[in-house]
Amino acid sequence: MKIDINCDMGESFGRYKLGLDEEVIKLISSANVGCGFHAGDPHVMRKTVDMAKQHGVGVGAHPGLPDLLGFGRREMKVSPEELKDYCIYQIGALKAFVEIAGMKLQHVKMHGALLNMGLANEELAVAMCEATKDINPDLIWVTFSGIRTVEIARSIDLKVIQEFYADRAYNADKTLVSRKTPGAVLKDPQQISARINQLIETGTVTTLDGQPLKLAYDSICVHGDTPGALEIIRTIRGIMADHNIAIKPMAELV
Amino acid sequence: MKIDINCDMGESFGRYKLGLDEEVIKLISSANVGCGFHAGDPHVMRKTVDMAKQHGVGVGAHPGLPDLLGFGRREMKVSPEELKDYCIYQIGALKAFVEIAGMKLQHVKMHGALLNMGLANEELAVAMCEATKDINPDLIWVTFSGIRTVEIARSIDLKVIQEFYADRAYNADKTLVSRKTPGAVLKDPQQISARINQLIETGTVTTLDGQPLKLAYDSICVHGDTPGALEIIRTIRGIMADHNIAIKPMAELV
Amino acid sequence: MKIDINCDMGESFGRYKLGLDEEVIKLISSANVGCGFHAGDPHVMRKTVDMAKQHGVGVGAHPGLPDLLGFGRREMKVSPEELKDYCIYQIGALKAFVEIAGMKLQHVKMHGALLNMGLANEELAVAMCEATKDINPDLIWVTFSGIRTVEIARSIDLKVIQEFYADRAYNADKTLVSRKTPGAVLKDPQQISARINQLIETGTVTTLDGQPLKLAYDSICVHGDTPGALEIIRTIRGIMADHNIAIKPMAELV
Amino acid sequence: MKIDINCDMGESFGRYKLGLDEEVIKLISSANVGCGFHAGDPHVMRKTVDMAKQHGVGVGAHPGLPDLLGFGRREMKVSPEELKDYCIYQIGALKAFVEIAGMKLQHVKMHGALLNMGLANEELAVAMCEATKDINPDLIWVTFSGIRTVEIARSIDLKVIQEFYADRAYNADKTLVSRKTPGAVLKDPQQISARINQLIETGTVTTLDGQPLKLAYDSICVHGDTPGALEIIRTIRGIMADHNIAIKPMAELV
């Protein structure tokens, strides 16, 4: 049994530092690296890629909206053509750093508001998936478990990794509860542990309104920008060890 | 006999249009495409690459400083490490569009203040050349004829294309006269014709202070953002035809 | 009888030029000046304000979304608090240039997607109006005729100028037909003349689906970035002269 | 006896947080607030101004270069005209927030590379001072003690506050030692204490190369983005209390 742990990284910008990348990188198997639109800059990208290489972590592109001020979390009415080109630009830029480091770009995962925009608008979802495939048909498409974009990606022959959000509450339709809703973000390691144990043992998560929800999963998504982040990730690693599940970059899972 | 004609292109941004790209692309053999820092955006990049493909024009990256407001023409005190990463980011982004269009990225040519910064600072020049080589050692390094960066690029085994600026006056040290100096920018097609005839026939250009200056050249650099641009380029093409010199993308010249 | 003619101006950015400001400024009575978010930059702002002063044109702020790449035309999910602060920032910046030129800031008019966002979302509309009032309760609020934001602005005691769009088709609810709909943008001076004559003589405009629509109006909004712009504005001035209607900055109308 | 303590504040941006503003604001008397070019955004500006009001702290504008990626610390070849307009834009934007909060803008202090550019280039220094005066001739010009810009500001009748950098080493010409030089930034509260005691008791500071340097001073400049910042500021306050020197906003000192 194998599983991947993925985390957003490289979201610092210039003098602004975000996240505990230097610590988190040692505990995960795949990194979603900011590409300079919602966060990240060329220098941060290089350093993040180099750290990932050093620790055997798979590198993916984490494209966002051109909204540094809003950290890519505010939906924008971009056209599918614009979005496709924004994704190609960002993935291409990161790919250059990855290849210079002697690695292969592993995956693509959308950031922030792009996730919701892809769920709400099929044309935008297709644009994202096509950008990924156009760059390289071997790239892995990473997204929430059980979501429409899983099918869209598969329909154009992209390999898909479905992820479980360890620290976010779920709606019954398998989407994440909005950050604005109380209870949306989990911070208690024990609560997170219980959820992951449940997921491994029953294949389900309990939604915010108390219903069990069956979820496929290949990867656990964690976050590295909260004070308790390291403890949460270590807890997850412990659970995986207890269940004899090896933590491996998603390239080894598809 | 062969020669290349290169021109900066893809320097529009969002709703802002710059240059006569649709017309100029039919008259040149190599395009230096803006990469989104000093000018250009992902959508413009795609369109420019597609146009270049349609007209058999070789595509190069034209990286600039992160200064859209100043069009990359204002020197900035960036470190060699920063500059190298800015170049890799921009070249990588453009390379993605070029490869998706089924072409190979042909060359790299620095924009605006980066040209002067490379001349004035050896470490910065090395950073630019190394970024180019790191992306792909087959990329052609394009720069002014006879300049220090020609040697730097060759010293790390980059192929070099030396260019002649058809519409700019020269100093005795082979640098361009600053745009702020009267007489720096030539607009009269007849004057430009005379210069190019002189170059082809004698291998020299006359500097602003009246001295003959020997210049090696593989490519003529033209500009597409002035009203007389098309006439100037057509004039240059006519001169080449008169001398039985074929106009070819620089990849065919190295 | 008096009327105002207003036009967006100062939407150039760095080396990018937009519109025929130098010509248009002579033909209008109020200028809506870009404030650096969707378009415009500090240098352009100064020059535009100075031109307006020279020609006796009233100056207003034209705040936009922080989206230069999309020219402020793409809706973004900003919060009312964010929007209010974006408006204050932009209006405050322009006000400084206006006061240094020895004038008083005359009005505020939202740009692009902000117009639609204000129509669709009452909280955002209130935020825009409050930002205006907080800067100075004497500022004039300029917006489409007969629209909800007219009431909102009046409810907080802002003076309101209602404008008629000379070159845009209307829906029955007094909103503008989307630019994406065929027939949304009028370019034929004769057609525009007929509409304005109808407006002056009957107080109505004919909607895209052929119905007469009663509209209050204090100002005619024109655009300066199309080839026929000057002819259209001159035509409008001629119609006003024929009807003995003086063209005056909106400050003289409230 | 009175003295001012000033600190840069409001240099967060969007999701990126910088400095301990909430704590520092309680310990200082004047805040230099980022204006959105090198750091800060409209929302951060409002919050910072509101905090300053709550704690009786004087508010000044802290304009920077348009280089968020470089935090305004990289010199750029801007013209005096460009710089003047950048300053007016930024000061004007902040002034709006300050006046909406019911305060008066107190002072202007340049950020980062602008300080050095003003020292190295008289035309740029004049442009900065004129921008300040054009906004309001009552604004206080804040700068290093004993520096050329003190004279320039006074020559156009600006009031001047001269500041001492508590945590930075000095050159013999009264400039700060470059951050790149070892020993340039002091972090040890005891060392900083000794320097301030020396300054108060002898009116001198010891330069990096060991010479005593006479310095006029009205304000102590502290920084709030280092772990030891609060302890350093509290130490300085203690020294002032020991010497019966009251800590007051600079408006009370001119």
Side-chain angles (χ1 to χ4, degrees), chain C residues 130-177:
Chain C
E130 284 184 351
T132 302
K133 187 177 182 187
D134 283 0
I135 293 272
N136 184 345
D138 291 333
L139 283 167
I140 300 169
W141 176 257
V142 180
T143 191
F144 308 149
S145 173
I147 280 300
R148 175 82 182 106
T149 48
V150 172
E151 296 162 41
I152 293 171
R154 285 183 177 151
S155 74
I156 61 167
D157 294 322
L158 285 172
K159 284 169 284 186
V160 174
I161 285 284
Q162 300 188 65
E163 58 179 349
F164 173 71
Y165 275 67
D167 57 359
R168 293 289 298 275
Y170 277 77
N171 295 311
D173 64 354
K174 300 186 180 173
T175 58
L176 302 182
V177 174

Coordinates of all heavy atoms in Angstrom, one line a residue, chain C residues 130-177:
Chain C
E130 N -19.9 55.1 -0.6 CA -19.4 55.5 0.7 C -17.9 56.0 0.5 O -17.5 57.0 1.1 CB -19.4 54.4 1.7 CG -20.8 54.2 2.2 CD -20.9 53.2 3.3 OE1 -19.9 52.5 3.6 OE2 -22.0 53.0 4.0
A131 N -17.1 55.3 -0.3 CA -15.8 55.7 -0.5 C -15.8 57.1 -1.1 O -15.0 58.0 -0.7 CB -15.1 54.7 -1.5
T132 N -16.6 57.4 -2.0 CA -16.7 58.7 -2.6 C -17.1 59.7 -1.6 O -16.4 60.8 -1.5 CB -17.8 58.7 -3.8 OG1 -17.4 57.7 -4.7 CG2 -17.9 60.0 -4.4
K133 N -18.1 59.4 -0.8 CA -18.5 60.4 0.2 C -17.5 60.6 1.3 O -17.3 61.7 1.7 CB -19.8 59.9 0.9 CG -20.4 61.0 1.8 CD -21.7 60.6 2.4 CE -22.2 61.8 3.3 NZ -23.4 61.4 4.0
D134 N -16.8 59.5 1.6 CA -15.7 59.7 2.7 C -14.6 60.6 2.2 O -14.0 61.3 3.0 CB -15.2 58.3 3.0 CG -16.1 57.5 3.9 OD1 -17.2 58.0 4.3 OD2 -15.7 56.4 4.3
I135 N -14.3 60.5 0.9 CA -13.2 61.4 0.4 C -13.7 62.9 0.5 O -13.0 63.7 0.9 CB -12.9 61.0 -1.1 CG1 -12.2 59.7 -1.2 CG2 -12.1 62.2 -1.7 CD1 -10.7 59.7 -1.0
N136 N -14.9 63.1 0.0 CA -15.5 64.5 0.1 C -17.0 64.4 -0.3 O -17.3 64.0 -1.4 CB -14.7 65.3 -1.0 CG -15.2 66.8 -0.9 OD1 -16.2 67.1 -0.3 ND2 -14.5 67.7 -1.5
P137 N -17.8 64.8 0.7 CA -19.3 64.7 0.4 C -19.8 65.6 -0.7 O -20.9 65.4 -1.2 CB -19.9 65.1 1.7 CG -18.8 65.7 2.5 CD -17.5 65.3 2.0
D138 N -18.9 66.5 -1.2 CA -19.3 67.3 -2.3 C -19.0 66.7 -3.7 O -19.4 67.3 -4.7 CB -18.6 68.7 -2.3 CG -19.0 69.5 -1.1 OD1 -20.2 69.3 -0.7 OD2 -18.3 70.4 -0.6
L139 N -18.4 65.6 -3.7 CA -18.1 64.9 -5.0 C -19.4 64.5 -5.6 O -20.3 64.0 -5.0 CB -17.2 63.7 -4.8 CG -15.7 64.0 -4.5 CD1 -14.9 62.8 -4.0 CD2 -15.1 64.5 -5.8
I140 N -19.4 64.6 -7.0 CA -20.6 64.2 -7.7 C -20.5 62.7 -8.1 O -19.4 62.2 -8.5 CB -20.7 65.0 -9.0 CG1 -20.9 66.5 -8.7 CG2 -21.9 64.5 -9.9 CD1 -20.7 67.4 -9.9
W141 N -21.5 61.9 -7.9 CA -21.6 60.5 -8.3 C -22.2 60.4 -9.7 O -23.3 60.9 -9.9 CB -22.4 59.7 -7.3 CG -22.6 58.3 -7.6 CD1 -23.7 57.7 -8.2 CD2 -21.6 57.2 -7.4 NE1 -23.5 56.4 -8.3 CE2 -22.2 56.0 -7.9 CE3 -20.3 57.2 -6.9 CZ2 -21.6 54.8 -7.9 CZ3 -19.7 56.0 -6.9 CH2 -20.3 54.8 -7.4
V142 N -21.4 59.8 -10.6 CA -21.8 59.7 -12.0 C -22.1 58.3 -12.4 O -21.3 57.4 -12.1 CB -20.7 60.3 -12.9 CG1 -21.1 60.2 -14.4 CG2 -20.4 61.7 -12.5
T143 N -23.3 58.1 -12.9 CA -23.6 56.7 -13.3 C -24.7 56.7 -14.4 O -25.3 57.8 -14.7 CB -24.0 55.9 -12.1 OG1 -24.1 54.5 -12.4 CG2 -25.4 56.3 -11.5
F144 N -25.0 55.5 -14.9 CA -26.1 55.4 -15.9 C -27.3 56.0 -15.4 O -27.7 55.9 -14.2 CB -26.5 53.9 -16.1 CG -25.4 53.0 -16.4 CD1 -25.5 51.6 -16.0 CD2 -24.3 53.3 -17.1 CE1 -24.6 50.7 -16.3 CE2 -23.3 52.4 -17.4 CZ -23.5 51.1 -17.0
S145 N -28.1 56.5 -16.3 CA -29.4 57.0 -16.0 C -30.3 55.9 -15.4 O -30.4 54.8 -15.9 CB -30.0 57.5 -17.3 OG -31.3 57.9 -17.0
G146 N -31.0 56.3 -14.3 CA -32.2 55.5 -13.8 C -31.8 54.2 -13.2 O -32.7 53.3 -13.0
I147 N -30.6 54.1 -12.7 CA -30.1 52.8 -12.2 C -30.2 52.8 -10.7 O -30.1 53.9 -10.1 CB -28.6 52.7 -12.7 CG1 -28.7 52.2 -14.2 CG2 -27.8 51.8 -11.9 CD1 -29.3 50.8 -14.4
R148 N -30.2 51.6 -10.1 CA -30.3 51.5 -8.7 C -29.2 52.3 -7.9 O -29.5 52.9 -6.9 CB -30.1 50.0 -8.3 CG -30.1 49.7 -6.8 CD -31.4 49.6 -6.2 NE -31.3 49.4 -4.8 CZ -31.6 50.3 -3.8 NH1 -31.9 51.5 -4.2 NH2 -31.4 50.0 -2.5
T149 N -28.0 52.4 -8.5 CA -27.0 53.2 -7.7 C -27.3 54.7 -7.7 O -26.7 55.4 -6.8 CB -25.6 53.0 -8.3 OG1 -25.6 53.1 -9.7 CG2 -25.0 51.6 -8.0
V150 N -28.1 55.2 -8.6 CA -28.6 56.6 -8.4 C -29.2 56.8 -7.1 O -28.9 57.7 -6.3 CB -29.5 56.9 -9.6 CG1 -30.1 58.3 -9.4 CG2 -28.8 56.9 -10.9
E151 N -30.1 55.8 -6.8 CA -30.8 55.9 -5.5 C -29.9 55.8 -4.3 O -30.0 56.5 -3.3 CB -31.9 54.9 -5.4 CG -33.0 55.0 -6.4 CD -33.8 53.7 -6.5 OE1 -34.1 53.0 -5.5 OE2 -34.1 53.3 -7.7
I152 N -29.0 54.8 -4.4 CA -28.1 54.6 -3.3 C -27.2 55.8 -3.0 O -27.1 56.2 -1.9 CB -27.2 53.3 -3.6 CG1 -28.0 52.1 -3.6 CG2 -26.0 53.2 -2.6 CD1 -27.3 50.8 -4.2
A153 N -26.7 56.4 -4.1 CA -25.9 57.6 -3.9 C -26.7 58.7 -3.3 O -26.3 59.4 -2.4 CB -25.3 58.0 -5.3
R154 N -27.9 58.9 -3.8 CA -28.8 60.0 -3.2 C -29.1 59.7 -1.8 O -29.2 60.6 -1.0 CB -30.1 60.1 -4.0 CG -29.8 60.8 -5.4 CD -31.1 61.0 -6.2 NE -30.8 61.7 -7.4 CZ -31.5 61.6 -8.5 NH1 -32.5 60.8 -8.6 NH2 -31.2 62.3 -9.6
S155 N -29.3 58.4 -1.4 CA -29.7 58.1 0.0 C -28.6 58.5 1.0 O -28.9 58.6 2.1 CB -30.0 56.6 0.1 OG -28.8 55.8 0.1
I156 N -27.3 58.6 0.5 CA -26.3 59.1 1.4 C -25.9 60.5 1.1 O -24.8 61.0 1.4 CB -25.1 58.1 1.5 CG1 -24.4 58.0 0.1 CG2 -25.5 56.8 2.0 CD1 -23.0 57.4 0.1
D157 N -26.8 61.2 0.4 CA -26.7 62.6 0.1 C -25.6 63.0 -0.8 O -25.1 64.1 -0.8 CB -26.5 63.4 1.5 CG -27.7 63.3 2.3 OD1 -28.8 63.4 1.8 OD2 -27.5 63.2 3.6
L158 N -25.2 62.1 -1.7 CA -24.3 62.5 -2.8 C -25.2 63.1 -3.9 O -26.3 62.7 -4.2 CB -23.6 61.3 -3.4 CG -22.4 60.7 -2.5 CD1 -22.0 59.4 -3.1 CD2 -21.3 61.7 -2.5
K159 N -24.6 64.2 -4.5 CA -25.2 64.7 -5.8 C -25.0 63.7 -6.9 O -23.9 63.1 -6.9 CB -24.6 66.0 -6.1 CG -25.1 67.2 -5.3 CD -24.2 68.4 -5.5 CE -22.9 68.3 -4.7 NZ -22.1 69.5 -4.7
V160 N -25.9 63.6 -7.8 CA -25.8 62.5 -8.8 C -26.0 63.2 -10.2 O -26.8 64.1 -10.4 CB -26.9 61.5 -8.7 CG1 -26.9 60.5 -9.8 CG2 -26.7 60.7 -7.3
I161 N -25.1 62.8 -11.1 CA -25.3 63.1 -12.5 C -25.6 61.8 -13.3 O -24.9 60.8 -13.1 CB -24.0 63.7 -13.1 CG1 -23.8 65.2 -12.6 CG2 -23.9 63.7 -14.6 CD1 -24.7 66.2 -13.3
Q162 N -26.7 61.8 -14.0 CA -27.1 60.6 -14.8 C -26.6 60.8 -16.2 O -26.8 61.9 -16.8 CB -28.6 60.5 -14.7 CG -29.1 60.3 -13.3 CD -30.6 59.9 -13.2 OE1 -31.0 58.8 -13.7 NE2 -31.4 60.8 -12.7
E163 N -26.1 59.7 -16.7 CA -25.5 59.9 -18.1 C -26.1 58.9 -19.1 O -26.6 57.9 -18.7 CB -24.0 59.6 -18.0 CG -23.7 58.2 -17.4 CD -22.2 57.9 -17.4 OE1 -21.4 58.6 -18.0 OE2 -21.9 56.9 -16.8
F164 N -26.1 59.4 -20.3 CA -26.6 58.6 -21.4 C -25.4 58.2 -22.2 O -24.5 59.0 -22.5 CB -27.5 59.5 -22.3 CG -27.9 58.9 -23.6 CD1 -28.8 57.9 -23.5 CD2 -27.4 59.4 -24.8 CE1 -29.2 57.3 -24.7 CE2 -27.8 58.8 -26.0 CZ -28.8 57.7 -26.0
Y165 N -25.3 56.9 -22.6 CA -24.2 56.4 -23.4 C -24.6 56.6 -24.9 O -25.4 55.9 -25.4 CB -24.0 54.9 -23.1 CG -23.0 54.8 -21.9 CD1 -23.5 55.2 -20.6 CD2 -21.8 54.3 -22.0 CE1 -22.6 55.1 -19.5 CE2 -20.9 54.2 -20.9 CZ -21.4 54.6 -19.7 OH -20.5 54.4 -18.6
A166 N -23.9 57.5 -25.5 CA -24.2 57.8 -26.9 C -24.0 56.6 -27.8 O -24.7 56.5 -28.8 CB -23.3 59.0 -27.4
D167 N -23.0 55.8 -27.5 CA -22.6 54.8 -28.5 C -22.8 53.4 -28.0 O -22.2 52.4 -28.5 CB -21.1 55.0 -28.9 CG -20.2 54.9 -27.6 OD1 -20.7 54.8 -26.5 OD2 -19.0 55.0 -27.8
R168 N -23.7 53.2 -27.1 CA -24.0 51.9 -26.6 C -25.5 51.6 -26.6 O -26.4 52.5 -26.3 CB -23.5 51.7 -25.1 CG -22.0 51.7 -25.0 CD -21.3 50.5 -25.5 NE -21.7 49.3 -24.9 CZ -21.2 48.8 -23.7 NH1 -20.2 49.5 -23.2 NH2 -21.6 47.7 -23.2
A169 N -25.9 50.4 -27.0 CA -27.3 50.0 -27.0 C -27.8 49.7 -25.6 O -27.0 49.3 -24.7 CB -27.5 48.8 -27.9
Y170 N -29.1 49.9 -25.4 CA -29.7 49.8 -24.0 C -30.7 48.6 -24.0 O -31.3 48.2 -24.9 CB -30.6 51.0 -23.7 CG -29.7 52.2 -23.1 CD1 -28.9 52.9 -24.0 CD2 -29.7 52.4 -21.8 CE1 -28.1 54.0 -23.5 CE2 -28.9 53.4 -21.3 CZ -28.1 54.2 -22.1 OH -27.3 55.2 -21.6
N171 N -30.7 48.0 -22.8 CA -31.7 47.0 -22.4 C -32.9 47.7 -21.8 O -32.8 48.9 -21.4 CB -31.1 46.0 -21.4 CG -30.0 45.2 -21.9 OD1 -30.1 44.6 -23.0 ND2 -28.9 45.1 -21.2
A172 N -34.0 47.0 -21.7 CA -35.2 47.6 -21.2 C -35.1 48.0 -19.7 O -35.8 48.8 -19.2 CB -36.4 46.6 -21.3
D173 N -34.1 47.4 -19.0 CA -34.0 47.7 -17.6 C -33.0 48.9 -17.4 O -32.5 49.1 -16.3 CB -33.5 46.5 -16.8 CG -32.2 46.0 -17.2 OD1 -31.6 46.5 -18.2 OD2 -31.7 45.1 -16.6
K174 N -32.7 49.6 -18.5 CA -31.8 50.8 -18.4 C -30.3 50.4 -18.3 O -29.5 51.3 -18.2 CB -32.2 51.8 -17.4 CG -33.6 52.3 -17.5 CD -34.0 53.4 -16.6 CE -35.4 53.9 -16.8 NZ -35.8 54.8 -15.7
T175 N -30.0 49.1 -18.3 CA -28.5 48.7 -18.3 C -28.1 48.7 -19.8 O -28.9 48.7 -20.7 CB -28.3 47.3 -17.7 OG1 -29.1 46.4 -18.5 CG2 -28.7 47.3 -16.3
L176 N -26.7 48.7 -19.9 CA -26.2 48.7 -21.3 C -26.2 47.2 -21.8 O -25.9 46.3 -21.0 CB -24.7 49.2 -21.3 CG -24.5 50.6 -20.8 CD1 -23.1 51.0 -20.9 CD2 -25.4 51.6 -21.6
V177 N -26.4 47.1 -23.1 CA -26.2 45.7 -23.7 C -24.8 45.3 -23.6 O -23.9 46.2 -23.9 CB -26.8 45.8 -25.1 CG1 -26.5 44.4 -25.8 CG2 -28.2 46.1 -25.2

